[in-house]
Amino acid sequence: MTTKDSQFAKGDILTVTIDALATGGKALTRLEGMVIFMDKGIPGQTVEIKITKKKKRFAEAVLTKVISDAPDQITPRCSHFGVCGGCQWQNMEYSKQLEWKKRFVSDSLNRIAGAQDIKINDPIPSPETFFYRNKMEFAFGDKRGDKTVGLRRYGTHNVVDLHECYMQSERTMEMVNLVRDFVNAIPALTSYDANARRGYLRFLVIRETKHTNQCMVQIITGKDTTNGDQQHRAIRKLGHILQEQMNVTTFIHSLRTHTTQVAYGEKTIAVLGQKSLTEVLNFENGMPSLSLTSHADGFFQVNTDATARLYGTAIELAELTGTEKVWDLYCGVGGIALAAARNAADVFGMEITPQAIESANENATINNIDNVRFVSGDVRGALDNEPSKPDVVFVDPPRSGMNPEVIELIMERSPKRIIYVSCDPATQARDIALLSSQYTVTTVQPVDLFPQTAHIENIVRLDLTD
């Protein structure tokens, strides 16, 4: 075994103590003047690692064994923890999780945006730290001939056959167990093999509402290769069973032929029950509740009550008076736009997905809001064709952040205020660096939607520089 006093190389096994966590959740230690990034672990643990890559100034490694626990480590709730890739931090107190997430935000703004001496507010915690998710995507697998249903094994494409999970609801695991028993009773239903690129069962997606008692189950499969559509007919039977035994309000059978392992159906084969779900966001700051409808592939934040805190805080930071023209870029099903509309003169929302815009318009009708206008299409193209000049702009882009051309188009209109919501502090900081020629960061407010993981939502308010 290589010791700390010697040089090390790719393939070496080292014993180290974890010093800190890096943005995104990787653990790190410093050795021989280099930083070693590990795939997992928490500060204070002494661990055995294997070096997988060595560069001039840093190295990468995988954690192979925990030798001794961290002094403040706690016992994880789930027996699958450390094997399943769903949670990273169940062995860390929630207060410590929030401390590290705040540090991630601070590090990104300082290192990438060059924003020094900016106060980072303490993260707004999630109302619940377990059973908080409203959506889970499970994969089908195979283990010695038995079909499995679960999440990916940490760092691999293999499926951990889950028999407990504390991220969604207890009813979720009842449905997972029912689906597992059903598919194992029918030999014609085979699990998809990503390496061989064959097999039928691909994904099980379960979505639940927090406040309206609705549930959508989506089974995503490959093509039926049997005589008489035996596989498709079996899935339809499964849908009826889930409706009868688990009170599922929507069952969708979707087809995916692309080999990329993404839980997205390219074609709908069958729909039983309602075509969409309607959730209610209950705000804590006196704002009226908001009803939001979304379809099977529509984006909706996975933590309902924490989302109400996220959107409510974004609206508060905007300081709307009722006279402003507002833009909501990457508006999804219209959550922020509709919440803002009640305190603005008019709102213009943009989103690339036509189905999301369909839901956004439906949501405007449901909530009796008539001072909003939604457009589907690429944000760059939509902005090129939009003559209005906004006073306030909300942006909530995907993890990759905004395109530089979109940032230029925003700055050309010079809104007084930008409220930037992001699920990735690093790409957010990159975009803020581009905006800094005209805008000053005045508020940074993290909001935690993802307990037990390293992910954090962050809101930054930027004001037009005088």
Side-chain angles (χ1 to χ4, degrees):
M1 178 178 293
T2 303
T3 68
K4 279 198 170 187
D5 296 326
S6 64
Q7 294 293 323
F8 63 89
K10 180 179 177 180
D12 283 351
I13 305 296
L14 309 178
T15 298
V16 300
T17 298
I18 297 173
D19 297 326
L21 296 171
T23 301
K26 286 190 175 183
L28 65 87
T29 191
R30 291 171 176 82
L31 180 64
E32 299 178 5
M34 297 182 67
V35 175
I36 303 176
F37 293 99
M38 290 157 270
D39 58 339
K40 55 184 175 179
I42 62 174
Q45 286 180 327
T46 299
V47 298
E48 182 183 277
I49 61 174
K50 181 177 181 180
I51 302 298
T52 56
K53 181 186 295 185
K54 186 178 180 184
K55 297 293 185 180
K56 187 174 182 180
R57 295 179 179 172
F58 73 94
E60 295 180 4
V62 294
L63 189 155
T64 54
K65 182 169 66 176
V66 175
I67 297 172
S68 63
D69 291 342
D72 56 357
Q73 186 171 329
I74 63 174
T75 302
R77 186 170 183 174
C78 182
S79 63
H80 297 296
F81 178 74
V83 178
C84 164
C87 297
Q88 297 162 289
W89 287 352
Q90 272 194 37
N91 56 349
M92 187 191 300
E93 289 280 4
Y94 186 54
S95 61
K96 288 287 185 183
Q97 296 180 29
L98 294 179
E99 288 177 15
W100 279 107
K101 293 182 184 193
K102 179 179 179 179
R103 190 178 299 189
F104 293 165
V105 171
S106 178
D107 289 348
S108 293
L109 287 172
N110 290 336
R111 178 172 50 86
I112 301 172
Q116 306 295 327
D117 302 320
I118 293 177
K119 178 186 177 184
I120 313 294
N121 291 332
D122 289 339
I124 296 173
S126 171
E128 297 173 290
T129 58
F130 289 101
F131 300 123
Y132 65 85
R133 291 186 64 97
N134 56 43
K135 178 184 178 182
M136 292 283 284
E137 296 176 354
F138 302 98
F140 288 97
D142 188 276
K143 184 178 181 180
R144 293 189 292 273
D146 290 331
K147 279 153 271 189
T148 59
V149 189
L151 301 178
R152 302 292 181 190
R153 183 176 294 274
Y154 194 91
T156 76
H157 291 294
N158 298 329
V159 175
V160 177
D161 199 23
L162 291 187
H163 293 277
E164 63 176 329
C165 181
Y166 298 94
M167 291 296 96
Q168 201 164 359
S169 70
E170 293 175 277
R171 182 172 71 157
T172 296
M173 284 312 303
E174 292 179 29
M175 286 187 276
V176 169
N177 292 334
L178 186 155
V179 170
R180 181 190 295 109
D181 290 344
F182 179 88
V183 299
N184 272 291
I186 300 179
L189 297 177
T190 58
S191 295
Y192 184 78
D193 184 330
N195 294 321
R197 297 185 177 184
R198 64 171 180 264
Y200 182 70
L201 299 167
R202 300 195 67 171
F203 298 99
L204 165 67
V205 183
I206 299 176
R207 296 180 61 180
E208 297 175 289
T209 60
K210 181 78 174 179
H211 301 292
T212 60
N213 196 33
Q214 296 177 342
C215 178
M216 176 186 290
V217 175
Q218 182 181 20
I219 301 283
I220 301 173
T221 71
K223 291 181 179 179
D224 190 331
T225 57
T226 63
N227 294 324
D229 290 338
Q230 296 176 46
Q231 295 170 322
H232 283 357
R233 286 191 289 110
I235 294 302
R236 190 176 185 89
K237 180 180 178 181
L238 172 61
H240 286 296
I241 292 172
L242 285 165
Q243 285 185 307
E244 294 167 4
Q245 296 185 18
M246 301 300 304
N247 297 318
V248 168
T249 52
T250 303
F251 178 82
I252 299 173
H253 177 194
S254 301
L255 176 70
R256 180 169 182 80
T257 58
H258 198 284
T259 56
T260 305
Q261 288 288 72
V262 179
Y264 176 81
E266 301 156 342
K267 177 183 177 183
T268 299
I269 296 175
V271 178
L272 305 177
Q274 303 171 8
K275 293 184 178 180
S276 60
L277 298 180
T278 300
E279 182 57 288
V280 176
L281 295 184
N282 295 313
F283 300 103
E284 298 174 339
N285 54 6
M287 293 167 49
S289 296
L290 195 64
S291 295
L292 295 175
T293 291
S294 61
H295 297 275
D297 296 317
F299 174 77
F300 193 86
Q301 294 280 9
V302 300
N303 187 333
T304 301
D305 288 342
T307 298
R309 291 183 174 183
L310 178 75
Y311 290 176
T313 302
I315 301 303
E316 285 182 346
L317 290 176
E319 294 186 357
L320 300 174
T321 64
T323 63
E324 292 86 0
K325 294 182 182 295
V326 173
W327 284 0
D328 181 11
L329 311 186
Y330 315 94
C331 67
V333 298
I336 292 177
L338 295 169
R342 289 166 167 155
N343 293 292
D346 61 73
V347 178
F348 174 52
M350 287 167 266
E351 173 61 55
I352 194 168
T353 310
Q355 192 176 53
I357 291 299
E358 179 184 339
S359 294
N361 283 313
E362 186 177 350
N363 290 330
T365 300
I366 291 171
N367 291 280
N368 298 312
I369 296 173
D370 58 10
N371 61 333
V372 293
R373 178 168 52 95
F374 293 108
V375 171
S376 171
D378 176 74
V379 172
R380 283 174 291 180
L383 290 183
D384 275 334
N385 297 320
E386 176 53 36
S388 68
K389 183 179 183 299
D391 299 300
V392 176
V393 172
F394 291 91
V395 295
D396 187 2
R399 186 171 296 277
S400 57
M402 290 193 287
N403 186 288
E405 292 180 26
V406 173
I407 294 174
E408 289 179 11
L409 288 168
I410 292 172
M411 291 196 293
E412 284 177 9
R413 309 297 175 92
S414 300
K416 293 184 297 184
R417 195 168 300 126
I418 299 172
I419 307 298
Y420 192 146
V421 181
S422 174
C423 62
D424 190 323
T427 57
Q428 184 186 46
R430 179 204 65 200
D431 294 346
I432 288 170
L434 296 177
L435 290 163
S436 64
S437 62
Q438 289 183 212
Y439 288 87
T440 301
V441 174
T442 56
T443 307
V444 181
Q445 180 59 71
V447 184
D448 189 26
L449 270 65
F450 314 102
Q452 318 309 328
T453 79
H455 301 297
I456 183 72
E457 290 277 337
N458 191 47
I459 308 173
V460 174
R461 169 174 160 168
L462 301 107
D463 286 359
L464 187 64
T465 306
D466 294 333

